[in-house]
Amino acid sequence: MKEGLDWILLGIAAVLMLHAAHGANHFQAYLNANQEDSYVPIPIDIVVEVLIALVLGVISIVGLNSSFADIRMTEKFKKETWETICPQPSFRVHSGTRGALFESM
């Protein structure tokens, strides 16, 4: 039942986002028709509608994807050493002419 609710929330979020885009398009057409040259911000109702659609969309996507991996992977890397997990060259590795210079010392 929860998965069905997540799909419904995702649909509502998509419809809200499309409606906000339509409203922003109408607002832009209004500004062009009235020859507004100064900066006019987007109306607050469109901004609120986009934010609500974004929150609903994120909540529904998180609800639909329930197979998240555990962040702490201590069981997987318990027997590994740091050198095998993140191999980096040690300071004793020299290349080029400086390596020959330091090896003679």
Side-chain angles (χ1 to χ4, degrees):
M1 179 65 184
K2 176 144 174 40
E3 187 174 324
L5 180 64
D6 290 331
W7 281 109
I8 292 172
L9 283 178
L10 187 60
I12 291 172
V15 168
L16 280 175
M17 196 65 80
L18 289 173
H19 186 264
H22 183 69
N25 189 17
H26 274 266
F27 179 69
Q28 184 66 34
Y30 170 77
L31 290 179
N32 288 340
N34 290 337
Q35 309 271 324
E36 294 283 337
D37 291 335
S38 63
Y39 173 74
V40 179
I42 297 175
I44 192 69
D45 61 335
I46 295 175
V47 173
V48 169
E49 191 172 2
V50 167
L51 291 176
I52 290 172
L54 180 69
V55 168
L56 284 177
V58 167
I59 289 172
S60 63
I61 293 294
V62 168
L64 286 172
N65 188 8
S66 60
S67 61
F68 289 113
D70 191 13
I71 292 176
R72 291 177 280 151
M73 300 186 68
T74 55
E75 296 300 320
K76 182 177 180 182
F77 294 122
K78 187 180 281 187
K79 296 179 182 176
E80 301 281 335
T81 62
W82 178 253
E83 286 77 20
T84 57
I85 294 173
C86 185
Q88 296 177 351
S90 68
F91 290 107
R92 297 180 194 265
V93 175
H94 301 287
S95 62
T97 58
R98 289 183 287 167
L101 177 69
F102 290 127
E103 285 178 1
S104 64
M105 294 182 147

